[in-house]
Amino acid sequence: MARTRSTTAARRTLIWLGVLFAALTAALAGGVMSGQASWAPKLALDLEGGTQMILAPKVQGAGDQISSEQLNQAVEIIRQRVDGSGVAEAEISTQSGRNVVVSLPGVPDTKTRDLIQASANMESRPVLMAAAGSAVPKESRTPEDELPKPTAKPENASDENWVTAELYRQFEAKECLDPEAAEEAQADDPAKPLIACEPDTGTKYILGPVEVPGTDIASASFGQVRGNQGQSLNQWAVNIEFNPAGPAAFKTVTERLFGLTGARNQFAIVLDGQVISAPTTNAVIPDGKPQITGSFTEESARVLSGQLKDGALPISFEIQSEQQIPATLGAEQLKMGLLAGLIGLLLV
C-alpha cells in the first residue's frame, strides 16, 4: 500500500515536471519566433571570442588635443551605448592614454559600429511635459477624443502645439524605469520635439526643439554656493559659462521660461538622448553664466560639470584597426568543464 502511494506521488511529480518543461519550452519558442530570444545561449567574450577594435578619438573644433577626463567620459558613453544595445560583457578600456580599445563578442553589426563611433551629442531643450517614468497601462491611457490637438503652428520651442496626439501616445507608452527600455531613444532631430528619460530620477519628458547646443558651452565647474556676504551656504552648485554665441540665445530662453509655470519652467540638458539634468528657471540669465543648484553632493556636482564641459568638445571615433580575437577560455577548457559537471551530476 505504502509502495503504491509512493509510486503515485513520484508519477505525479514527474508529470508536473514534464508540464513545467513543456511550458518553458513553449515560452522559449515564442521568444525565438518574436526575435527576442534564441535556442542557443549567448556566449560572452571569454567563451565565444570576438572582435577587438582600436578607436582613435577625433575632437571637433580642438585639433588633435584631448584630455584624459574627456577620454574617460567617452569610454563611459561607449560602455552605456554598448550595454544598451544588448551586447553581452563587452570589454572597453583606454590604451596609452590616447586610444580606446573595444572588445565585443562575435562580429558587431553596422548599428553597433555606428553607436561606438558617433560623438556624444549634448543639447538644451525646454520641457513641454513631465511625468513619472513608468509606462501608462493600455487600459488607462488617454481616450482618443481627449488626446492633444494642436490648434496652430508652434511659435517657439516651449509652445504646447508641438505635442500632437501621436507624440502623446508615445509619451504615455514610454517606459523609463526599465534600464533597457530607457536606452531606446527615438531619432534625435534638433528641430523636432523629443521624448527622453532622466535615469537619476525616473522621470520622462516631452522636450521642445533644441535651443542651445552643447558646443555653445565654453566651460563648466562646480563649487559651494556663496551668499551675499561671500559665506558658504553648504550647498553644491554647477556653474556654466558660454562662448560668445551662447549668452544671447540663453537669455532669450530664460526670459521665456521664467514667465512659465510647472514643468514648462524647466529646461533639460540632454546628453546622448538622455536627460542628465532638468533645472527650473529661477531668473533671467543675461550674462551667459548660469548656476545650477539643487540636491547636489560634491560627487554629483563634479560629474555633471564634467559632462557639461565635455559637451563643448564632442568626441567621435574612427576605427584605427580591427582584428578577430579567440576565446580566452578555449574550447578544450570548456569541454573539460562540461565533462566534470556531467560526472558530478551522475555521482549525485
Side-chain angles (χ1 to χ4, degrees), residues 128-129 148-165 167 193 264:
L128 301 178
M129 291 185 179
K149 295 179 176 60
T151 57
K153 289 186 176 181
E155 296 182 357
N156 54 58
S158 297
D159 197 324
E160 291 180 311
N161 282 311
W162 286 107
V163 184
T164 63
L167 185 66
R264 295 177 67 210

Side-chain angles (χ1 to χ4, degrees), residues 11-27:
R11 185 180 295 112
R12 186 181 296 113
T13 301
L14 289 174
I15 290 173
W16 278 112
L17 285 174
V19 171
L20 179 60
F21 179 79
L24 292 174
T25 302

Side-chain angles (χ1 to χ4, degrees), residues 316-335:
S316 59
F317 292 89
E318 60 181 359
I319 299 177
Q320 196 174 63
S321 65
E322 179 176 335
Q323 63 178 352
Q324 298 301 308
I325 54 176
T328 56
L329 286 185
E332 187 62 29
Q333 287 86 344
L334 177 59
K335 184 187 300 182

Side-chain angles (χ1 to χ4, degrees), residues 257-281:
L257 298 184
F258 187 55
L260 301 176
T261 59
R264 295 177 67 210
N265 175 254
Q266 298 174 256
F267 71 95
I269 302 169
V270 184
L271 176 62
D272 224 25
Q274 290 192 334
V275 176
I276 59 173
S277 184
T280 58
T281 306

Side-chain angles (χ1 to χ4, degrees), residues 55-60 66 116-120 313-318:
L55 309 177
K58 297 186 298 181
V59 182
Q60 301 173 13
I66 180 171
I116 291 172
Q117 296 180 80
S119 62
L313 295 172
I315 301 172
S316 59
F317 292 89
E318 60 181 359

Side-chain angles (χ1 to χ4, degrees), residues 193-251:
L194 174 75
I195 298 173
C197 301
E198 185 176 10
D200 289 346
T201 63
T203 305
K204 61 182 176 182
Y205 300 92
I206 297 181
L207 307 175
V210 173
E211 295 204 279
V212 183
T215 48
D216 282 357
I217 297 176
S219 66
S221 60
F222 69 100
Q224 292 275 346
V225 179
R226 300 289 175 178
N228 294 331
Q229 305 299 322
Q231 74 279 16
S232 174
L233 300 181
N234 294 320
Q235 181 183 8
W236 290 96
V238 176
N239 305 298
I240 303 173
E241 289 191 26
F242 288 100
N243 62 23
F250 198 72
K251 178 185 176 182

Side-chain angles (χ1 to χ4, degrees), residues 60-93:
Q60 301 173 13
D64 294 327
Q65 300 300 315
I66 180 171
S67 67
S68 59
E69 291 81 4
Q70 291 170 337
L71 190 62
N72 290 334
Q73 177 67 19
V75 167
E76 288 304 313
I77 290 172
I78 292 175
R79 182 174 288 112
Q80 292 173 9
R81 288 173 171 176
V82 172
D83 290 346
S85 68
V87 176
E89 298 187 25
E91 296 179 3
I92 304 169
S93 60

